[in-house]
Amino acid sequence: MKLGQTIGFCTSADGTRIALASCGKGPVILRAAHWLSHVDYDLQSPVWRPWVQALSAGNRFVRYDPRGCGLSDRYVTDLSVDAWHADLDAVAASIEEPQFVLLGLSQGGALAIAYAARHPERVSHLVLLNAYGQGARTRAQTDAERLEAETLVNFIRIGWGRDNPAFAQFFTNLFIPDGTPEQHRWWGDLERLTAAGDVAAQLLWNMQGIDVLDLAATLRVPTLIAHSRGDMRVPFDQGCKLAAAIPGARFVPLESKNHVLLPDEPAWIAFQAELAAFVGQDPPSRPLAIREAGLTQAEATLLDLVAEGLDNRAIAERAGKSVKTVRNQLSIIFGKLGVRSRSQAIVIALSR
């Protein structure tokens, strides 16, 4: 149950060093880069750790930091979308397996679409979540929409990394409006740790010019598209457009406002089940005693942390909760399991 990872580096076409991380064993799921990424920090994050945990259960989950961000080279002159395509090519070339599932979240969806068009022989399945085929500037049809896109970039240039919580809260609410206060705090920290303000602004400006909608129509790989109905970062209709463009794509609406799904919402469970069915895997099953106890997803995740040997304070830090909340929730969990101690709960959790 302990979640660990291997971090390495590969070199892009122009010599830029790209950091990549691998978790788990099994068929490969490769996540194309998205805007905010720090492969070392992910495992501490109450937002991204559940993703790593879920996708590395029964798979080898590979992800990487885009140039200018995270552990990849920070000081690079070329931050173009073409350079991002080259970075994905370099990461994919480092994967020895002949095929992999390619996952594109947000703007990573456009990168994944372009890669699948160039290298269909390597992509067994394409999965797009809250993705878009056209960036905000490209799809803008009015002066107001173009001004909104430009204003967002300028807002980053002015406010990125400031102590004023209003700036961080604005972006956090675009990505995880239904997140807890601690998840919001971690997201704000991630913004500051991931990239400098000028880099974040330039990357966003370049991404706003993305247009792969015509390219999407040429794809001939099995494709799953899921999109949150209330997504405040990428409108729901962008997912619909991709589903209409890609031949044979399966489209799944998700009941969520979050751009990044969180593990305690029903949309999380729905997406994980759809993903497992799409790639031909059984959804990860928990021990019979846990399933019969009726633990919620959030409670099961908390039990996983107990099974890692963490105390209440460490669990609170990992899960973004107070120690008192963790203590109360563990009491409920132990009651459902019919146990009186942590050691008894751990035995049940590990009885796979």
Side-chain angles (χ1 to χ4, degrees):
M1 280 219 170
K2 184 175 177 59
L3 185 61
Q5 67 178 353
T6 301
I7 296 177
F9 296 89
C10 65
T11 303
S12 193
D14 64 354
T16 299
R17 184 180 59 193
I18 302 299
L20 60 152
S22 175
C23 278
K25 296 181 180 179
V28 174
I29 297 177
L30 170 59
R31 187 191 73 188
H34 50 69
W35 191 36
L36 294 175
S37 171
H38 195 304
V39 294
D40 189 37
Y41 191 61
D42 283 350
L43 297 195
Q44 304 173 46
S45 168
V47 176
W48 287 120
R49 179 183 171 84
W51 278 97
V52 178
Q53 197 164 25
L55 295 181
S56 63
N59 298 285
R60 184 161 75 90
F61 181 41
V62 179
R63 64 200 198 285
Y64 64 99
D65 290 332
R67 57 181 54 216
C69 302
L71 294 183
S72 293
D73 280 346
R74 292 287 190 106
Y75 303 103
V76 292
T77 56
D78 187 359
L79 295 173
S80 67
V81 174
D82 286 343
W84 272 41
H85 289 313
D87 297 345
L88 175 52
D89 285 347
V91 173
S94 72
I95 296 174
E96 295 181 356
E97 287 83 349
Q99 285 193 316
F100 47 78
V101 176
L102 184 55
L103 172 64
L105 311 180
S106 194
Q107 67 271 11
L111 300 179
I113 288 169
Y115 182 89
R118 295 193 307 273
H119 304 285
E121 75 286 352
R122 297 220 58 195
V123 180
S124 64
H125 301 79
L126 177 63
V127 180
L128 306 175
L129 174 61
N130 291 336
Y132 56 87
Q134 294 178 314
R137 274 198 339 275
T138 301
R139 65 177 182 259
Q141 297 182 349
T142 66
D143 290 341
E145 289 175 341
R146 283 184 282 273
L147 179 60
E148 180 181 350
E150 294 170 4
T151 300
L152 189 59
V153 173
N154 289 328
F155 194 75
I156 292 173
R157 291 195 174 103
I158 295 171
W160 197 263
R162 285 191 179 183
D163 290 334
N164 187 338
F167 286 100
Q169 187 175 6
F170 173 79
F171 289 104
T172 302
N173 284 332
L174 287 179
F175 287 91
I176 49 171
D178 286 340
T180 65
E182 281 301 300
Q183 287 170 332
H184 281 201
R185 180 181 65 79
W186 276 86
W187 192 271
D189 291 343
L190 178 63
E191 290 175 0
R192 291 186 291 273
L193 287 169
T194 298
D198 58 338
V199 172
Q202 186 61 50
L203 289 175
L204 181 59
W205 173 262
N206 290 340
M207 291 183 294
Q208 288 179 346
I210 283 174
D211 190 351
V212 296
L213 205 54
D214 289 341
L215 190 61
T218 70
L219 292 182
R220 296 297 183 270
V221 298
T223 303
L224 171 67
I225 300 171
H227 210 107
S228 299
R229 290 188 188 274
D231 191 340
M232 298 181 67
R233 182 69 186 90
V234 177
F236 181 71
D237 77 303
Q238 292 303 304
C240 296
K241 286 184 178 180
L242 282 176
I246 299 175
R250 171 168 170 73
F251 182 64
V252 179
L254 299 172
E255 302 303 327
S256 176
K257 295 179 181 178
N258 294 315
H259 184 58
V260 177
L261 299 181
L262 300 173
D264 57 352
E265 61 178 322
W268 168 274
I269 299 173
F271 174 72
Q272 297 297 338
E274 289 284 350
L275 173 60
F278 180 64
V279 300
Q281 296 179 347
D282 294 327
S285 62
R286 295 186 177 273
L288 179 61
I290 292 179
R291 284 179 275 143
E292 290 181 341
L295 266 61
T296 67
Q297 178 65 30
E299 289 171 341
T301 300
L302 211 62
L303 182 60
D304 287 342
L305 298 179
V306 172
E308 286 189 28
L310 302 182
D311 60 20
N312 286 2
R313 184 170 297 279
I315 291 173
E317 293 176 355
R318 182 77 63 78
K321 304 174 183 289
S322 70
V323 175
K324 181 179 179 181
T325 298
V326 169
R327 184 170 59 248
N328 291 340
Q329 289 181 334
L330 288 181
S331 295
I332 294 172
I333 292 170
F334 291 174
K336 287 184 176 182
L337 292 174
V339 301
R340 295 183 177 180
S341 68
R342 299 174 82 90
S343 59
Q344 290 175 327
I346 290 173
V347 169
I348 292 177
L350 295 179
S351 62
R352 301 287 180 178

